[in-house]
């Protein structure tokens, strides 16, 4: 006879206790870790409760829950949790949730962080259709949550993150946890940038409440080169994808950008801006502005580097919004193209630099959030551009966000009139961005859609069922005999070939070539803008 382990017995008793409690007190949700590569989620339901609505729903949530593995026939879709037909009266619905480092909408649900799994309860939270909902975390080892360390079990709410360990952790050290796969130098940089960002913003935004989060940093993998991701909840999750043990200077700058951005969010009131139609733009735009401003003051960016960041973000904003007003862009497109960042940073930099006199840019942001904290919902454009100046009428933000015609036309009008930036011929990076846009349009003409992964020197193009010419997955390295990226001749050659022959020749990594039909020549932008950092820094002095 096989004797169950103490951990298995305790897990069974905990599930049974959860079910009994739920039967009399509504719904009880338990997020538990007893395995190295997965979580187990238990929903203890009262009698007669057959389905519940997930609070986090939509396409992104559907992708997350498509990985859940039912242990008793229950179903979990993008929107709904439901009992299975075979077990209509089961008191507890259980799911195995494998770890995954895939990027998702919102907070991840089961992200591996070294020896821990990061879980966020928003992925599991349900509505009150069957009574009050109670939440708990459990693990064979320790649980870091709510700025404290627990063993075995921990209280939670529907918005709580946690790090769940299989082993017990010492209570004598920091609650922060850095994946051992990251180097000691990377760990030291994370802590230094986080602490220095918080220290400076506590001075500049002295009226804002700040609670230091638990910092968790993960070494993760995804297709492509080194990349970053992050979340700024009560656990500041820093995801470093394909991260080298000996980072190059560009990787170090990228890590600094991530840490400073996420720590800056801790000085914002995320939920308070939800009623605004541009909530994501406001939240991420201000977060980027604070990160950018702190980086300048700390010397992590030179004025030249800071100006280049604004220029590149503005170029992406102008290219990706195209000939459309901001108001016609869907939230899905904005999020998929990171426009809340690319448009948000230059928008805040230029709007605050062009603001009416009186107070600093920091002061405008703090005043905005303090009003929100009192339950007032100020006009965002007025708060940024005018402050308390009664006779002031905001110009830049209303034009960019709600003006007629293309958003980039509004950018041209605003910047030409501001004297804060000058027109400039496209840099190579901006030519490369347009080349990628042109390649994407070419593939979409051939396939009615596109699945493209860019690298530093090539693009990986996945074939799709509707493709007429691109019938195999390919790696494109050249266009019309010219290197795909890094050559000023590439985009003109591509446009000329489309106009002259109605086709563009793509050169593959394996040496082959493919002529892809081209009906609509790409129209490059003749100029972009270069920020006048001397004027901007003078205007933004705290």
């Amino acid at each position: 006879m096989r004797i169950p382990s103490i951990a298995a017995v305790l897990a069974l008793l905990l599930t049974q206790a959860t079910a009994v409690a739920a039967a009399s007190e509504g719904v009880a949700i338990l997020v538990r870790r007893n395995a190295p590569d997965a979580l187990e989620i238990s929903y203890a339901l009262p009698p007669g409760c057959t389905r519940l609505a997930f609070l986090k729903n939509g396409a992104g949530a559907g992708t997350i829950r498509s990985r859940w593995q039912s242990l008793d026939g229950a179903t979990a879709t993008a929107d709904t949790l439901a009992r299975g037909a075979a077990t209509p009266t089961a008191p507890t619905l259980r799911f195995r949730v494998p770890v995954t480092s895939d990027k998702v909408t919102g907070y991840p649900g089961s992200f591996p962080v070294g020896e821990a799994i990061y879980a966020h309860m928003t992925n599991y939270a349900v509505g009150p259709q069957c009574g009050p909902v109670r939440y708990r975390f459990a693990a064979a080892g320790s649980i870091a949550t709510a700025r404290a360390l627990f063993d075995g079990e921990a209280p939670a709410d529907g918005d709580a993150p946690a790090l769940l360990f299989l082993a017990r952790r010492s209570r004598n050290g920091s609650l922060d946890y850095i994946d051992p796969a990251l180097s000691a130098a990377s760990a030291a940089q994370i802590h230094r940038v986080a602490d220095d960002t918080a220290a400076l913003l506590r001075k500049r935004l002295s009226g804002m409440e700040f609670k230091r989060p638990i910092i968790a940093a993960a070494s993760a993998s995804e297709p492509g080169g080194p990349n970053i991701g992050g979340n700024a909840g009560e656990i500041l999750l820093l995801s470093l994808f394909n991260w080298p043990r000996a980072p190059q200077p560009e990787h170090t700058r990228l890590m600094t950008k991530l840490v400073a951005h996420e720590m800056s969010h801790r000085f914002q009131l995320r939920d308070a801006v939800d009623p605004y139609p541009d909530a994501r733009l406001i939240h991420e735009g201000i977060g980027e502005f604070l990160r950018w401003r702190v980086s300048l003051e700390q010397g992590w960016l030179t004025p030249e580097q800071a100006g280049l960041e604004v220029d590149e973000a503005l170029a992406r904003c102008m290219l990706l919004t195209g000939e459309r007003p901001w108001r016609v862009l869907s939230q899905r497109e904005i999020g998929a193209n990171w426009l809340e960042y690319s448009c948000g940073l230059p928008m805040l930099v230029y709007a605050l630099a062009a603001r009416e006199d009186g107070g600093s840019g920091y002061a405008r942001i703090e005043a905005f959030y303090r009003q929100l904290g009192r339950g007032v919902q100020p006009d965002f454009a007025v708060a940024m551009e005018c402050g308390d100046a009664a006779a002031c009428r905001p110009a830049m933000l209303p034009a960019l966000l709600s003006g007629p015609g293309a958003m980039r036309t509004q950018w041209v009008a605003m910047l030409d009139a501001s004297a804060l930036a000058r027109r400039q011929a496209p840099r190579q990076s901006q030519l490369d961005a347009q080349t990628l846009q042109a390649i994407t349009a070419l593939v979409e003409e051939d396939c009615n859609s596109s699945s493209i992964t860019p690298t530093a020197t090539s693009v990986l193009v996945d074939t799709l069922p509707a493709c007429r010419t691109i019938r195999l997955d390919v790696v494109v390295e050249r266009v019309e005999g010219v290197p795909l990226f890094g050559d000023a001749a590439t985009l003109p050659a591509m446009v000329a070939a489309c106009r002259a022959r109605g086709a563009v020749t793509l050169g593959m990594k394996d040496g082959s070539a493919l002529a892809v039909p081209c009906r609509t020549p790409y129209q490059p932008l003749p100029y972009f803008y270069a920020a006048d950092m001397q004027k901007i820094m003078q205007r933004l002095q705290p």
Side-chain angles (χ1 to χ4, degrees):
M1 176 174 139
R2 185 173 177 270
I3 300 175
S5 68
I6 293 176
V9 171
L10 290 175
L12 177 62
L13 291 175
L14 187 57
T15 300
Q16 291 174 342
T18 300
V20 171
S24 58
E25 300 180 23
V27 177
I29 299 177
L30 180 66
V31 175
R32 178 173 59 222
R33 185 188 181 193
N34 284 325
D37 59 350
L39 302 174
E40 184 179 301
I41 316 303
S42 300
Y43 292 88
L45 309 182
C49 179
T50 59
R51 62 180 54 236
L52 288 162
F54 283 114
L55 298 184
K56 179 176 180 178
N57 50 43
T63 300
I64 292 170
R65 295 189 190 109
S66 68
R67 305 186 185 97
W68 293 16
Q69 300 162 3
S70 177
L71 299 177
D72 47 26
T75 60
T77 66
D79 307 310
T80 306
L81 171 72
R83 293 183 187 273
T87 54
T89 60
T92 303
L93 311 183
R94 297 177 303 124
F95 296 86
R96 181 180 183 272
V97 179
V99 297
T100 176
S101 56
D102 290 352
K103 291 178 179 175
V104 297
T105 303
Y107 297 108
S110 55
F111 198 97
V113 186
E115 298 167 354
I117 296 178
Y118 169 96
H120 203 284
M121 199 65 84
T122 52
N123 295 281
Y124 311 107
V126 296
Q129 293 85 1
C130 295
V133 183
R134 294 177 296 110
Y135 302 89
R136 281 184 297 166
F137 290 113
S142 295
I143 305 160
T145 186
R147 295 188 294 280
L149 191 67
F150 301 84
D151 290 328
E153 281 191 64
D157 59 32
D159 193 36
L163 292 174
L164 299 104
F165 296 86
L166 289 176
R168 299 220 170 170
R169 293 182 58 77
S170 170
R171 294 179 177 276
N172 298 325
S174 168
L175 291 175
D176 295 348
Y177 178 71
I178 308 298
D179 191 331
L182 296 170
S183 68
S186 292
Q189 181 188 352
I190 288 169
H191 283 120
R192 182 177 63 255
V193 173
D195 291 341
D196 289 353
T197 299
L200 181 58
L201 288 179
R202 291 180 79 169
K203 294 179 182 177
R204 299 292 184 236
L205 304 173
S206 57
M208 296 298 296
E209 181 182 15
F210 171 75
K211 294 179 181 178
R212 189 188 186 279
I214 297 171
I215 296 175
S219 175
S221 299
E222 69 172 8
N227 199 1
I228 57 173
N231 297 102
E234 289 298 308
I235 294 178
L236 197 81
L237 178 63
L238 308 169
S239 307
L240 300 163
F241 295 92
N242 312 321
W243 209 253
R245 289 286 295 179
Q248 297 299 309
E250 63 267 26
H251 305 139
T252 301
R253 286 193 293 271
L254 194 60
M255 179 187 285
T256 295
K257 183 176 183 177
L258 170 66
V259 179
H261 175 91
E262 298 302 338
M263 188 59 80
S264 295
H265 275 323
R266 298 296 300 169
F267 290 81
Q268 298 176 256
L269 301 178
R270 183 198 67 188
D271 296 341
V273 300
D274 282 349
Y276 288 82
D278 298 306
R280 284 281 296 168
L281 180 73
I282 293 171
H283 184 63
E284 297 299 345
I286 291 179
E288 267 293 85
F289 174 81
L290 293 175
R291 184 275 310 168
W292 181 85
R293 195 72 187 86
V294 166
S295 297
L296 264 170
E297 289 197 62
Q298 296 284 19
W300 301 331
L301 289 176
T302 66
E304 293 74 21
Q305 289 170 333
L308 184 59
E309 280 199 357
V310 174
D311 298 347
E312 292 297 299
L314 176 59
R316 288 194 298 273
C317 180
M318 294 176 71
L319 287 172
L320 292 171
T321 55
E323 294 297 333
R324 299 167 296 168
W326 176 261
R327 285 283 170 250
V328 308
L329 303 177
S330 69
Q331 289 302 312
R332 184 171 184 176
E333 181 180 2
I334 290 170
N337 289 304
W338 303 85
L339 292 178
E340 61 269 61
Y341 303 86
S342 297
C343 298
L345 174 62
M347 198 176 295
L348 266 293
V349 169
Y350 285 117
L352 288 171
R355 73 191 184 282
E356 291 284 323
D357 290 337
S360 69
Y362 284 120
R364 292 286 171 87
I365 290 171
E366 181 175 333
F368 172 67
Y369 282 117
R370 293 186 72 170
Q371 286 181 282
L372 288 172
R374 295 195 301 269
V376 178
Q377 203 173 97
D379 181 283
F380 177 64
V382 172
M384 295 299 105
E385 294 189 47
C386 298
D388 296 328
C392 169
R393 295 293 179 269
M396 185 172 290
L397 291 175
L400 292 172
L401 296 176
S402 302
M407 186 187 198
R408 68 186 181 198
T409 301
Q410 297 294 339
W411 273 117
V412 169
M414 290 293 108
L415 293 180
D416 284 350
S418 74
L420 293 171
R422 66 183 185 281
R423 293 186 181 189
Q424 178 176 277
R427 298 186 177 99
Q428 185 59 53
S429 59
Q430 293 160 350
L431 290 173
D432 288 344
Q434 293 184 89
T435 298
L436 177 60
Q437 205 169 44
I439 287 285
T440 302
L442 185 72
V443 173
E444 288 178 349
E445 277 192 1
D446 187 61
C447 304
N448 300 329
S449 184
S450 64
S451 177
I452 292 178
T453 303
T455 72
T457 60
S458 66
V459 292
L460 287 63
V461 181
D462 298 328
T463 188
L464 299 170
C467 292
R468 292 173 291 276
T469 303
I470 305 172
R471 305 296 306 193
L472 299 172
D473 295 347
V474 293
V475 180
V476 180
E477 292 188 337
R478 304 179 75 82
V479 174
E480 293 296 317
V482 185
L484 181 62
F485 298 132
D487 195 312
T490 306
L491 187 59
M494 186 175 182
V495 173
C498 184
R499 285 177 176 156
R501 304 195 315 269
V504 174
T505 301
L506 305 181
M508 311 306 175
K509 184 177 182 179
D510 64 6
S512 65
L514 182 66
V516 179
C518 175
R519 295 189 301 272
T520 308
Y522 183 81
Q523 295 184 355
L525 291 182
Y527 59 85
F528 290 93
Y529 284 88
D532 188 325
M533 283 302 295
Q534 183 175 1
K535 290 180 181 177
I536 288 173
M537 289 178 69
Q538 289 172 348
R539 293 285 297 160
L540 291 179
Q541 287 302 316

